[in-house]
């Protein structure tokens, strides 16, 4: 193009831009058309005609939107979209933030138009407008961008709802319904593309220090016009508007291109709001997004079809799975080494998964020799099922999954392989959750599980907190004998303190048991030997854990008075007490901080005897050991002496006269106990604090019991 021709082109562009302010709608419309044709020419941009004319375009668009001329609106927006899309990145279109703000407000008005064609064109322009080079004139107007996006999303939600309310009734043509669904899908896709542009903008601005916040905001002002606030808005808007709209649309049809954009938005939000990625991932998993993504891959991504959708699905699942594993709620987090191994596993395995759920189960059950890549794919499938199940999305049959996991573990055993810890953790959890109450594992399977467990240094590494996992370990003697103590300790350490409320109930009524305790109590009724493990836990566990165990045992004994476990508990308690006195005879108060908890349980067991009973040899041995323990204590050991005195007192009063004589003789022969009581009675007249007062009363009651007729006889 020679110089004269360039001059003529510049004059034409200037002429057209100037006439955009004309009062003639026809002249403005014609100018829009001509400029749109010129926008196809690269020189229109490289010679900065758009930079010169963009203000005229924005002002004209603002004015035309006030007119009642749909064609004018559409043509103006089409021109604006072409300019925004084709403008080279190196040539800044908006030279100041005020012009950028005016452009955003014009688009905000346009996307809210009641005319669908106008709103649709405005949404396309919005997507092009949300480019970093268009928004980089400082300061970035985050508040204006938020208002624009809210208007766009609300218009889409309104349109979707309008179509739902206008569903054809009776014999109305299904063709009209299909057309409406297609129309809504196109508008939703354009809206999602605009929202994705906003997400891309937020990610690009993360590396721009000058774009973090408005530098002209007063220090005392609320920091709303910041990248952080804008990012959190994107997450909130996606959660409250984008996701519901897409899920409603999925009820009628599924479009691969739309789902590709939608999942790429979800994936980008993990990067945009990193401090919320774990919480967001948990919400998505609980809303069946693992199932949804796998169904999309199975339906559209088999073979080489829809490779872009397959990659987006895989990327989304990869990030969501890692987020879920990094911040688990019911199990300990994996080590950095484990997480790195799982990351590599998911990266290679997820793109290869495009099978339906039944096909995945069949592949997991395959007992043929598995080579590296196939085994990695099995690991991925199992991990996906685990994360879905742990967030209550049980989209495959429990019975079929139960069999598939067993086959998978036996295949590993046959090939002499040891799976990664996270995979074995998933396998154990799924076996426990999917096992039917009336169905049990085969002996070979139990042995295989035990062999895998023997190679793990700490059970905590594969423990997931769930009452059915507790049941799984306690149901099989081969597992309970080896791991019962540890799994119960882990279970109580993970339990919250809601059981505290169960320890303070009136006789007027009993609150319903939490599901976790209901499962434990059912196990205690059917396998009473678990009580012995619980007694050991009360003595040897950290105080917080021991206290939870004590409350659970108390509640069980109160609610199950028909179960005769007194002999079992007293016998085991006697062994614990004898061991304590041998190892810490000189100072039993230093032996275990949990000793008072055990003694309070013993006194509770004594109170269960509502009728007079003969004291057997076990009871007499307990009396002897408890009195011996008291003789080793000082009057300041209130926590130990109070439950001990309670036990001794009720042992004397809840028995037959003949047994009472024998019991009194045992206690009176305990020199240490008598000397202790003598010291405590001497303290009666001394000024004592309130805890000591209650103990002194117990000492007097116990002393008085020796002088009753039955004891004297």
């Amino acid at each position: 193009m020679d110089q004269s021709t360039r001059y003529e082109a510049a004059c034409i562009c200037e002429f057209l831009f100037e006439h955009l302010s004309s009062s003639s709608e026809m002249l403005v419309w014609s100018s829009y058309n001509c400029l749109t044709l010129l926008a196809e020419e690269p020189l229109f941009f490289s010679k900065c005609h758009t930079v010169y004319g963009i203000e005229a375009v924005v002002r004209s668009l603002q004015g035309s939107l006030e007119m009642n001329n749909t064609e004018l609106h559409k043509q103006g927006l089409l021109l604006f979209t072409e300019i925004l899309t084709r403008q080279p990145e190196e040539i800044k279109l908006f030279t100041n933030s005020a012009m950028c703000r005016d452009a955003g407000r014009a688009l905000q008005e346009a996307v809210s138009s009641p005319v669908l064609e106008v709103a649709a064109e405005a949404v396309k322009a919005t997507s092009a407008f949300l480019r970093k080079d268009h928004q980089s004139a400082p300061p970035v107007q985050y508040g204006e961008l938020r208002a624009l996006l809210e208007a766009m999303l609300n218009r889409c939600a309104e349109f979707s709802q309008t179509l739902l309310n206008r569903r054809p009734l009776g014999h109305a043509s299904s063709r009209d319904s299909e057309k409406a669904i297609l129309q809504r899908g196109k508008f939703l896709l354009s809206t999602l593309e605009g929202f994705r542009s906003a997400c891309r903008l937020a990610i690009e601005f993360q590396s721009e220090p000058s774009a973090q916040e408005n530098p002209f905001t007063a220090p005392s002002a609320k920091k709303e016009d910041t990248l952080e606030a804008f990012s959190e808005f994107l997450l909130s808007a996606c959660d409250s508007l984008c996701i519901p709209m897409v899920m409603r649309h999925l009820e009628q049809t599924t479009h691969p291109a739309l789902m590709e954009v939608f999942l790429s938005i979800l994936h980008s939000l993990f990067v945009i709001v990193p401090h919320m990625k774990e919480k967001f991932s948990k919400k998505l998993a609980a809303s069946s997004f693992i199932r949804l993504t796998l169904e999309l891959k199975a339906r559209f991504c088999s073979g080489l079809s829809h490779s872009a959708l397959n990659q987006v699905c895989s990327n989304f699942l990869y990030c969501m799975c890692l987020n879920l594993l990094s911040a688990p709620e019911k199990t300990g987090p994996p080590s950095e080494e484990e997480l790195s191994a799982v990351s590599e596993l998911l990266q290679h395995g997820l793109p290869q998964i495009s099978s339906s759920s039944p096909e995945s189960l069949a592949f997991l059950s395959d007992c043929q020799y598995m080579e590296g890549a196939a085994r990695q794919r099995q690991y991925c499938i199992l991990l996906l099922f685990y994360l879905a199940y742990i967030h209550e999305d049980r989209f495959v049959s429990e019975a079929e999954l139960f069999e598939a996991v067993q086959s998978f573990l036996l295949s590993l055993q046959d090939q002499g392989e040891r799976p990664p810890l996270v995979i074995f953790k998933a396998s154990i959890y799924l076996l426990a959750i999917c096992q039917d109450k009336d169905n049990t594992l085969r002996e070979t399977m139990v042995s295989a599980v035990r062999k895998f467990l023997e190679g793990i240094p700490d059970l905590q590494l594969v423990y997931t907190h769930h009452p059915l996992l507790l049941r799984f370990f306690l149901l099989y003697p081969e597992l309970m004998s080896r791991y019962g103590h540890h799994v119960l300790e882990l279970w109580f350490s993970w339990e919250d303190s809601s059981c505290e409320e169960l320890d303070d109930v009136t006789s007027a009524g009993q609150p319903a048991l939490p599901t976790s305790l209901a499962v434990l109590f059912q196990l205690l009724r059917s396998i009473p030997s678990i009580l012995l493990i619980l007694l050991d836990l009360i003595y040897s566990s950290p105080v917080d854990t021991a206290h939870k165990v004590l409350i659970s045992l108390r509640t069980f004994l109160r609610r199950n008075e028909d179960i005769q476990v007194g002999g079992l508990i007293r016998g085991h308690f006697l062994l614990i007490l004898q061991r304590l006195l041998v190892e810490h005879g000189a100072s039993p108060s230093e032996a275990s901080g949990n000793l008072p908890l055990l003694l309070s349980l013993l006194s509770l067991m004594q109170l269960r005897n509502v009728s007079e009973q003969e004291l057997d040899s076990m009871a007499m041995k307990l009396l002897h050991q408890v009195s011996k323990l008291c003789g080793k204590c000082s009057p300041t050991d209130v926590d130990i002496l109070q439950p001990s005195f309670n036990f001794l007192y009720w042992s004397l009063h809840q028995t037959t006269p003949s047994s009472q004589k024998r019991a009194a003789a045992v206690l009176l022969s305990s020199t240490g106990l008598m000397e202790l009581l003598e010291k405590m009675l001497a303290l009666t007249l001394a000024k004592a604090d309130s805890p000591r007062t209650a103990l002194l009363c117990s000492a007097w009651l116990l002393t008085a019991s020796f002088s009753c007729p039955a004891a004297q006889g």
Side-chain angles (χ1 to χ4, degrees):
M1 183 181 290
D2 58 27
Q3 188 171 353
S4 61
T5 306
R6 290 172 184 166
Y7 176 76
E8 290 173 3
C11 291
I12 293 172
C13 291
E14 184 177 349
F15 172 81
L16 291 172
F17 281 128
E18 286 177 355
H19 281 78
L20 290 178
S21 59
S22 170
S23 59
S24 168
E25 294 182 19
M26 180 57 70
L27 182 57
V28 173
W29 182 85
S30 299
S31 298
Y32 282 157
N33 265 322
C34 292
L35 287 167
T36 303
L37 290 172
L38 285 172
E40 296 178 4
E41 184 62 46
L43 284 174
F44 184 64
F45 298 95
S46 62
K47 295 301 178 180
C48 297
H49 295 310
T50 50
V51 178
Y52 164 78
I54 191 62
E55 184 174 357
V57 173
V58 171
R59 295 195 185 287
S60 174
L61 191 57
Q62 288 174 320
S64 69
L65 288 171
E66 296 176 0
M67 303 175 187
N68 189 22
N69 188 331
T70 300
E71 291 303 316
L72 187 64
H73 300 166
K74 288 164 58 179
Q75 195 60 44
L77 287 166
L78 178 61
L79 169 63
F80 195 28
T81 303
E82 288 295 311
I83 292 174
L84 290 168
T85 303
R86 294 173 181 267
Q87 180 71 19
E89 291 183 10
E90 62 273 11
I91 303 175
K92 186 173 290 189
L93 184 63
F94 300 104
T95 54
N96 60 76
S97 61
M99 181 51 58
C100 187
R101 180 197 60 214
D102 291 343
R105 289 178 179 177
L107 288 174
Q108 183 180 339
E109 184 179 352
V111 295
S112 302
S113 170
V115 181
L116 181 63
E117 291 86 349
V118 174
E121 197 60 54
V123 169
K124 293 177 184 176
T126 299
S127 183
F129 178 66
L130 294 169
R131 245 171 54 179
K132 181 183 174 183
D133 54 295
H134 293 331
Q135 303 297 327
S136 57
V140 180
Q141 305 283 328
Y142 289 116
E144 297 292 336
L145 293 179
R146 173 173 177 165
L148 173 58
L149 289 169
E150 283 177 334
M152 180 183 71
L153 292 171
N154 288 331
R155 183 64 181 91
C156 186
E158 177 190 332
F159 174 55
S160 299
Q161 192 59 45
T162 301
L163 285 181
L164 286 174
N165 295 337
R166 292 179 182 174
R167 283 179 178 174
L169 302 174
H171 300 285
S173 172
S174 62
R175 184 178 299 174
D176 292 338
S177 177
E178 291 173 3
K179 184 179 178 182
I181 292 171
L182 181 62
Q183 194 177 34
R184 184 175 64 196
K186 288 176 66 177
F187 194 80
L188 178 57
L189 175 58
S190 295
T191 301
L192 291 175
E193 286 174 338
F195 195 83
R196 181 171 63 174
S197 296
C199 292
R200 187 184 300 117
L201 184 68
I203 292 174
E204 290 172 342
F205 276 150
Q206 284 180 343
S207 59
E208 297 284 341
S210 61
Q212 300 303 306
E213 62 181 62
N214 187 341
F216 305 110
T217 305
S220 58
K222 191 175 181 181
K223 297 293 182 83
E224 291 184 346
D225 213 14
T226 64
L227 177 59
E228 182 182 2
F230 181 65
S231 299
E232 291 179 356
F233 157 73
L234 291 175
L235 177 63
S236 175
C238 180
D239 187 35
S240 59
L241 288 169
C242 295
I243 291 176
M245 285 192 293
V246 172
M247 299 311 288
R248 281 197 300 269
H249 187 67
L250 279 176
E251 293 173 2
Q252 296 181 314
T253 186
T254 305
H255 197 280
L258 187 149
M259 295 309 297
E260 181 186 331
V261 176
F262 176 56
L263 290 177
S264 69
I265 290 171
L266 298 181
H267 177 245
S268 66
L269 286 170
F270 296 142
V271 180
I272 293 170
V273 197
H275 66 279
M276 291 290 287
K277 63 183 180 181
E278 288 88 5
K279 186 176 181 180
F280 187 45
S281 295
K282 289 172 184 177
K283 186 169 185 179
L284 292 173
S287 302
S288 303
F289 270 76
I290 294 177
R291 175 200 310 210
L292 170 65
T293 313
L294 289 176
E295 287 175 350
L296 284 172
K297 286 168 68 70
R299 182 174 175 183
F300 296 109
C301 303
S302 57
L304 298 176
S305 59
H306 293 99
S307 58
L309 175 62
N310 184 36
Q311 192 59 52
V312 168
C313 288
S314 300
N315 291 342
F316 168 67
L317 282 175
Y318 169 79
C319 284
M320 182 167 64
C321 289
L322 283 186
N323 293 338
L324 293 172
L325 290 169
S326 299
E329 290 184 342
K330 300 179 180 180
T331 182
S335 65
E336 288 296 325
E337 185 180 351
E338 287 179 84
L339 209 56
S340 176
V342 172
S343 171
E344 185 177 353
L345 168 69
L346 292 171
Q347 259 184 334
H348 290 94
L350 286 172
Q352 310 304 318
I353 297 175
S354 59
S355 52
S356 65
S357 295
E359 290 170 339
S360 294
L361 283 172
F363 181 68
L364 193 61
S365 304
D366 195 343
C367 294
Q368 295 181 5
Y369 182 82
M370 286 288 169
E371 295 183 351
R375 185 66 84 193
Q376 299 283 313
R377 188 175 151 209
Q378 280 188 325
Y379 288 166
C380 280
I381 290 171
L382 190 76
L383 199 56
L384 291 169
F385 285 154
Y386 167 67
L387 292 173
Y389 261 65
I390 209 169
H391 291 91
E392 302 300 329
D393 182 17
R394 305 187 176 187
F395 59 93
V396 292
S397 161
E398 293 182 9
E400 292 178 5
L401 185 55
F402 183 65
E403 294 299 326
V405 174
Q406 289 185 76
S407 299
F408 166 73
L409 289 176
L410 289 174
S411 170
L412 286 173
Q413 185 185 45
D414 291 343
Q415 291 185 207
E417 298 178 52
R418 297 200 65 84
L421 283 175
V422 68
I423 300 300
F424 185 64
K425 177 194 290 187
S427 304
I428 292 295
Y429 179 83
L430 291 173
L431 282 179
I433 298 300
C434 298
Q435 180 175 331
D436 187 83
K437 292 181 180 179
D438 300 323
N439 192 16
T440 57
L441 290 176
R442 299 184 297 274
E443 189 175 338
T444 53
M445 191 67 243
V446 176
S447 297
V449 169
R450 178 166 177 172
K451 286 179 182 177
F452 282 124
L453 287 170
E454 286 172 351
I456 294 170
D458 187 350
L459 186 64
Q460 186 172 357
L461 296 173
V462 294
Y463 178 78
T464 305
H465 187 60
H466 196 284
L468 292 181
L469 190 79
L470 176 69
R471 177 179 177 270
F472 179 82
F473 273 93
L474 299 181
L475 190 62
Y476 302 101
E478 190 174 347
L479 297 180
M480 188 178 87
S481 62
R482 181 72 179 269
Y483 303 103
H485 186 282
H486 198 172
V487 78
L488 276 164
E489 186 174 27
L490 286 169
W491 191 80
F492 276 106
S493 68
W494 276 92
E495 274 295 287
D496 57 29
S497 55
S498 60
C499 56
E500 296 278 355
E501 302 171 5
L502 301 172
D503 201 39
D504 184 23
V505 296
T506 63
S507 57
Q510 294 180 334
L513 284 173
T515 304
S516 55
L517 277 184
V519 171
L520 176 63
F521 286 6
Q522 184 183 11
L523 287 166
L524 289 174
R525 290 180 68 92
S526 58
I527 313 173
S529 58
I530 298 173
L531 289 166
L532 306 183
I533 302 176
L534 296 183
L535 282 177
D536 285 334
L537 286 177
I538 293 176
Y539 179 71
S540 61
S541 298
V543 175
D544 289 345
T545 302
H547 190 59
K548 293 176 190 176
V549 179
L550 174 66
I551 292 174
S552 301
L553 261 180
R554 279 179 183 167
T555 306
F556 174 75
L557 294 173
R558 284 171 180 160
R559 295 187 178 217
N560 296 273
E561 294 183 355
D562 57 313
I563 298 182
Q564 300 302 317
V565 293
L568 189 68
I569 291 179
R570 287 183 300 149
H572 200 67
F573 182 85
L574 181 62
L575 293 174
I576 293 174
L577 201 55
Q578 288 172 337
R579 187 170 72 242
L580 181 147
L581 288 170
V582 169
E583 295 174 358
H584 304 278
S587 183
S589 60
E590 298 177 3
S592 171
N594 301 339
L595 182 57
L597 301 179
L598 271 175
L599 291 166
S600 65
L601 180 64
L602 186 64
S603 63
L604 173 64
M605 290 297 303
Q606 191 63 32
L607 286 172
R608 292 184 85 205
N609 300 328
V610 293
S611 59
E612 293 184 350
Q613 295 179 357
E614 288 284 343
L615 295 178
D616 57 14
S617 61
M618 180 75 69
M620 298 303 292
K621 289 177 182 177
L622 271 174
L623 277 174
H624 173 67
Q625 295 295 339
V626 173
S627 64
K628 187 176 178 182
L629 174 68
C630 292
K632 302 285 186 179
C633 296
S634 72
T636 58
D637 295 325
V638 179
D639 290 343
I640 293 177
L641 291 177
Q642 188 63 68
S644 299
F645 283 0
N646 290 344
F647 170 71
L648 297 177
Y649 176 81
W650 285 110
S651 296
L652 285 170
H653 285 269
Q654 285 188 318
T655 186
T656 60
S658 60
S659 287
Q660 197 175 49
K661 295 175 188 177
R662 293 165 53 217
V666 169
L667 299 182
L668 289 169
S669 66
S670 175
T671 305
L673 175 62
M674 293 301 105
E675 290 175 352
L676 174 70
L677 290 173
E678 185 178 349
K679 291 177 186 176
M680 298 194 70
L681 298 182
L683 292 172
T684 304
L685 298 178
K687 187 177 180 180
D689 52 16
S690 54
R692 189 84 58 84
T693 302
L695 184 61
L696 290 174
C697 292
S698 297
W700 274 104
L701 284 172
L702 182 58
T703 304
S705 301
F706 298 142
S707 61
C708 68
Q712 287 180 341

